[in-house]
Amino acid sequence: MKTLYIDIYFLINFTVDLISLHFAAMLSHNRAENKRLLVAALLGALISSVCVLIDLPFVTLLLFVVTVIFSAVFCCRDTGAKGRMVFGISLIVFLSLVGGIVSFVWNLLEDALADFLI
């Protein structure tokens, strides 16, 4: 049985969210303030941590969609609807890519170091 430390999960998720938000803003040519990106990343990490604890797929999907919409509206305040949609789609793509890479590396390190640390 694997153990999940919620503080480590929160920190990793916050980092992935912040990187993804930054790249989504760059790709969609939105000038998002760093403070707004930090707040959106904190909210995303908090919601993600809550979703792990409640483990209800429909609620998790709903919270994910609401978080992406909030991030697009909150981070792109000087942009129209089209720019926010591009930002939201870019955010989903980058969350998948960066999250997948981080998950792969984490599992690789965990498997490689499991015998050494035990």
Side-chain angles (χ1 to χ4, degrees):
M1 181 174 165
K2 291 190 177 189
T3 303
L4 174 69
Y5 295 99
I6 200 71
D7 55 344
I8 301 296
Y9 181 79
F10 179 85
L11 182 64
I12 290 171
N13 204 301
F14 170 74
T15 306
V16 168
D17 288 349
L18 189 60
I19 291 169
S20 299
L21 284 163
H22 179 71
F23 283 137
M26 285 177 48
L27 183 69
S28 63
H29 302 292
N30 287 320
R31 296 182 53 136
E33 298 174 11
N34 289 335
K35 291 177 188 176
R36 290 183 175 269
L37 294 177
L38 283 170
V39 169
L42 281 171
L43 178 70
L46 180 67
I47 294 295
S48 181
S49 299
V50 168
C51 288
V52 166
L53 296 175
I54 59 174
D55 194 30
L56 296 171
F58 179 73
V59 175
T60 301
L61 179 63
L62 182 66
L63 287 174
F64 175 75
V65 170
V66 168
T67 305
V68 168
I69 292 171
F70 171 79
S71 297
V73 171
F74 185 71
C75 293
C76 305
R77 62 186 174 127
D78 297 333
T79 310
K82 183 179 177 184
R84 290 179 179 161
M85 285 178 50
V86 170
F87 180 84
I89 292 169
S90 301
L91 179 59
I92 292 171
V93 168
F94 280 114
L95 282 172
S96 300
L97 290 174
V98 176
I101 291 168
V102 168
S103 177
F104 174 76
V105 171
W106 182 268
N107 287 330
L108 189 71
L109 286 173
E110 186 178 42
D111 291 342
L113 297 175
D115 295 332
F116 178 72
L117 294 175
I118 292 179

